[in-house]
Amino acid sequence: MLTGAVQGRFLKMLAEALSPKRILEIGTFTGYSAVCLAMALPEDGHLDTLEVNDELEDLIREGFARAGLEGRISLAIGDAKETLARFRKEMSEGKREKYDLVYIDANKREYPEYYRLVFGMVRDGGYILADNVLWDGKVFQDPLPQDRQTLGIAGFNDTVAQDPRVESVIIPVRDGLNLIKVLTHDEGCR
């Protein structure tokens, strides 16, 4: 479940290239991926990360502190869909800014719902990055395995591929990353 060192370096390099000021991470586990992403933030940047497992909170916060990033990362413990709904409401009230980059690496069954919830939370020209989209090759099997995780990832991949509001590419790093650009009205290279 842990983002490995190669993928961690890739996340940091990608964030450096995209230069986001506001990042949202869905599913932090131990906090390693959040640290990798936050290392690329400018001094006035901030990362919000979500984790459902409250037993990991002390470990996560310790990692943020050891990396010297505790002031630039906010951790929300709880159900991601509930937290995202709260964040969306805060955005509509002007209490929260849109994100430049959203990284999804949580419950695979919920990827389509996470995508639906975060889409309006990303600025035009911003990015959504989703992990595990190759799902150990299961998404290519015929017939498609019917477990909920595989169906969630396959449904997510289909949704993104058919969404005219985005441009995307799957990068075969580890278990696959889908890099999704939220288009502005005058963009598109399909």
Side-chain angles (χ1 to χ4, degrees), residues 35-159:
V35 167
C36 293
L37 289 165
M39 289 175 76
L41 285 169
E43 287 299 318
D44 61 342
H46 194 81
L47 184 145
D48 292 313
T49 189
L50 316 180
E51 177 56 45
V52 69
N53 188 346
D54 62 351
E55 292 179 1
L56 294 171
E57 184 173 1
D58 291 341
L59 176 69
I60 294 166
R61 291 192 187 282
E62 178 185 341
F64 295 166
R66 291 176 105 187
L69 295 167
E70 68 269 40
R72 295 176 39 203
I73 302 175
S74 297
L75 172 64
I77 299 289
D79 180 86
K81 292 184 293 184
E82 292 173 11
T83 304
L84 291 171
R86 187 178 83 239
F87 283 7
R88 285 176 62 90
K89 183 175 187 281
E90 291 171 1
M91 269 185 195
S92 71
E93 296 169 345
K95 298 175 184 174
R96 183 176 290 276
E97 296 177 45
K98 286 195 173 194
Y99 293 99
D100 303 302
L101 173 64
V102 173
Y103 178 52
I104 303 172
D105 187 15
N107 185 340
K108 309 314 173 209
R109 290 166 249 174
E110 303 292 343
Y111 270 36
E113 184 67 7
Y114 298 149
Y115 183 73
R116 184 188 71 75
L117 287 168
V118 302
F119 196 86
M121 298 171 67
V122 181
R123 69 168 173 79
D124 286 353
Y127 290 84
I128 300 169
L129 183 64
D131 196 12
N132 304 114
V133 295
L134 298 179
W135 201 233
D136 200 30
K138 292 178 187 176
V139 295
F140 300 115
Q141 291 179 8
D142 188 18
L144 185 69
Q146 296 300 297
D147 63 277
R148 290 183 57 207
Q149 292 85 355
T150 301
L151 292 174
I153 294 291
F156 170 81
N157 289 342
D158 289 345
T159 297

Side-chain angles (χ1 to χ4, degrees), residues 175-186:
D175 201 18
L177 291 163
N178 195 340
L179 180 61
I180 305 157
K181 183 176 183 184
V182 176
L183 299 175
T184 60
H185 297 294
D186 58 347

